């Protein structure tokens, strides 16, 4: 008998073992080294917005060394997260490219903002399209409905010229009733628009105790989170809480029941898609100066 015949069984076992080890190594390499578009972890929301609304994006791909966001409108970003605005309605493909090799797309539908009903052009040469009521610190959009080429806005708070764009945004620092004035090169008389700015939160009376003051803030915070959970205006309620309590720090710590710690941006971004969520209690924690909330404890349920 030759060597092969005498060791046939051992040779077969060795070959099988070698193939098995090779398969395990290949599987390990595929999980640890070889990636695909399916391994990309990204968030783009909401998927349906209007012109001028805020689009949130974030890349959480662990193996990414470089990234690039293409928003489909000629704009791009290398940030791992941020916000984007579209100026024109349409259907856009937001593409996330990882390491210049893997890509994943997210569809976004951008609709035009509704225009007011047509008015007899013989009596009115221009109009101001804007809300008649908004909240303190909210970014309010104002748009001139006119064929003019020059625009001068005064929003009634500073007494100065505030903008010279056809479409612009303004955030009122104080509540009250304001008259917005628009001058154009096609109108002899200024175009006026009345807007009421509601206070960010009810002023606390001097007699109110410290405990009641904090309870009022907790309840106000809870109210606006619940509005986001109910699918109401994300931008208005998110920006209100961010500016009123968090000193514009979207990384403020959020602790929900017994779950892991999150930041305010990611919590609110997920909250608007978590249907039927009920915010039961909210407890805010301020910094030493009592000016900025540094942590938010939340209890919620479905």
């Amino acid at each position: 008998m030759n060597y092969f015949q005498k060791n046939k069984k051992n040779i077969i076992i060795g070959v099988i073992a070698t193939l098995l080890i090779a398969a395990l190594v290949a599987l390990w390499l595929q999980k640890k080294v070889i990636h695909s578009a399916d391994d990309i972890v990204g968030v783009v929301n909401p998927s349906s917005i209007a012109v001028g609304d805020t689009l949130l994006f974030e890349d959480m791909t662990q193996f990414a060394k470089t990234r690039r966001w293409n928003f489909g409108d000629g704009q791009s970003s290398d940030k791992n997260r941020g916000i984007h605005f579209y100026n024109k309605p349409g259907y856009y493909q937001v593409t996330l490219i990882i390491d210049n090799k893997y890509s994943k797309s997210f569809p976004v539908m951008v609709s035009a903002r509704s225009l007011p009903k047509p008015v007899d052009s013989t009596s009115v040469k221009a109009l101001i399209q804007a809300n008649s009521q908004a909240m303190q610190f909210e970014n309010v959009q104002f748009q001139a409905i006119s064929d003019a080429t020059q625009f001068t806005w005064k929003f009634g708070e500073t007494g100065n010229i505030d903008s010279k764009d056809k479409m612009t945004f303004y955030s009122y620092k104080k509540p009250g009733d304001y008259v917005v004035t628009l001058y154009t090169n096609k109108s002899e008389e200024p175009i006026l628009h009345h807007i009421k700015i509601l206070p960010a939160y009810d002023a606390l009376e001097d007699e109110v105790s410290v405990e009641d003051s904090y309870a009022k803030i907790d309840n106000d915070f809870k109210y606006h989170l619940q509005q986001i959970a109910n699918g109401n205006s994300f931008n208005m309620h998110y920006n209100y809480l961010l500016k009123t309590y968090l000193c514009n720090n979207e990384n403020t710590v959020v602790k929900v029941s017994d779950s892991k710690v999150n930041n305010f941006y990611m919590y609110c971004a997920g909250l608007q898609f978590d249907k039927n969520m009920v915010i039961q209690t909210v407890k805010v924690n301020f910094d030493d100066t009592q000016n900025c909330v540094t942590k938010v404890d939340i209890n919620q349920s479905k």
Side-chain angles (χ1 to χ4, degrees):
M1 300 179 84
N2 58 30
Y3 176 82
F4 178 79
Q5 290 174 330
K6 293 173 70 175
N7 298 278
K8 181 178 181 180
K9 183 177 180 181
N10 292 335
I11 292 173
I12 293 175
I13 292 174
V15 171
I16 293 174
T18 301
L19 293 175
L20 181 59
I21 292 173
L24 291 174
V25 170
L27 181 61
W28 181 86
L29 287 173
Q30 183 176 9
K31 289 185 176 181
K32 297 294 184 179
V33 180
I34 303 174
H35 300 288
S36 68
D38 294 333
D39 299 321
I40 294 177
V41 182
V43 176
V44 174
N45 59 72
S47 59
S48 179
I49 59 175
V51 171
D53 282 351
T54 302
L55 181 74
L56 309 174
F57 64 90
E58 179 165 10
D59 171 39
M60 297 172 287
T61 307
Q62 294 185 355
F63 67 86
K65 296 180 180 178
T66 64
R67 65 185 53 80
R68 185 173 74 256
W69 292 91
N70 289 332
F71 299 104
D73 60 351
Q75 302 295 318
S76 63
S77 174
D78 294 329
K79 296 181 180 179
N80 66 316
R81 65 184 176 92
I83 60 176
H84 184 69
F85 301 95
Y86 287 99
N87 297 321
K88 296 180 179 180
Y91 179 80
Y92 297 89
Q93 284 282 355
V94 179
T95 303
L96 171 58
I97 303 172
I98 299 296
D99 298 340
N100 291 322
K101 186 175 182 181
Y102 313 105
S103 65
K104 187 173 183 178
S105 295
F106 307 85
V108 176
M109 178 61 71
V110 181
S111 59
R113 289 192 176 275
S114 58
L115 299 177
K117 293 182 178 180
V119 181
D120 185 2
S121 60
T122 59
S123 59
V124 179
K125 294 183 179 299
L127 292 173
I128 295 176
Q129 178 190 340
N131 293 335
S132 58
Q133 181 173 292
M135 299 192 70
Q136 181 183 7
F137 304 122
E138 176 188 351
N139 278 331
V140 185
Q141 177 178 291
F142 297 90
Q143 183 171 358
I145 309 302
S146 169
D147 59 355
T149 57
Q150 297 177 10
F151 306 90
T152 301
W153 295 89
K154 290 185 176 182
F155 297 117
E157 185 174 37
T158 65
N160 301 322
I161 295 175
D162 297 297
S163 177
K164 291 190 175 183
D165 296 321
K166 185 173 185 178
M167 184 180 76
T168 185
F169 292 86
Y170 186 78
S171 175
Y172 285 92
K173 307 302 182 294
K174 297 180 180 180
D177 295 307
Y178 294 93
V179 177
V180 179
T181 306
L182 171 63
Y183 300 90
T184 75
N185 61 334
K186 290 292 185 72
S187 301
E188 295 182 2
E189 299 294 330
I191 301 97
L192 304 179
H193 176 80
H194 294 266
I195 184 168
K196 182 179 183 65
I197 302 300
L198 303 177
Y201 56 92
D202 294 334
L204 300 175
E205 298 180 358
D206 294 338
E207 296 79 13
V208 176
S209 67
V210 174
E211 290 77 10
D212 289 340
S213 301
Y214 282 120
K216 205 161 194 176
I217 293 173
D218 291 340
N219 289 332
D220 187 48
F221 211 103
K222 171 185 172 183
Y223 168 79
H224 289 280
L225 288 179
Q226 189 64 61
Q227 294 303 305
I228 295 175
N230 292 344
N232 295 324
S233 174
F234 177 87
N235 290 330
M236 182 180 77
H237 297 288
Y238 175 83
N239 289 326
Y240 165 72
L241 292 174
L242 192 65
K243 295 177 180 179
T244 306
Y245 299 115
L246 306 184
C247 296
N248 289 316
N249 181 15
E250 61 184 4
N251 289 315
T252 299
V253 174
V254 175
K255 185 73 166 60
V256 181
S257 302
D258 296 326
S259 65
K260 65 180 182 179
V261 173
N262 207 338
N263 64 42
F264 182 70
Y265 163 82
M266 287 303 299
Y267 172 73
C268 290
L271 187 63
Q272 62 178 330
F273 297 102
D274 204 352
K275 303 301 182 184
N276 302 318
M277 184 62 69
V278 177
I279 310 297
Q280 296 176 324
T281 62
V282 172
K283 180 66 177 177
V284 300
N285 300 274
F286 282 88
D287 58 13
D288 293 338
T289 64
Q290 299 297 303
N291 291 326
C292 302
V293 170
T294 56
K295 182 183 177 184
V296 185
D297 293 298
I298 300 172
N299 285 317
Q300 63 186 31
S301 64
K302 285 191 176 183

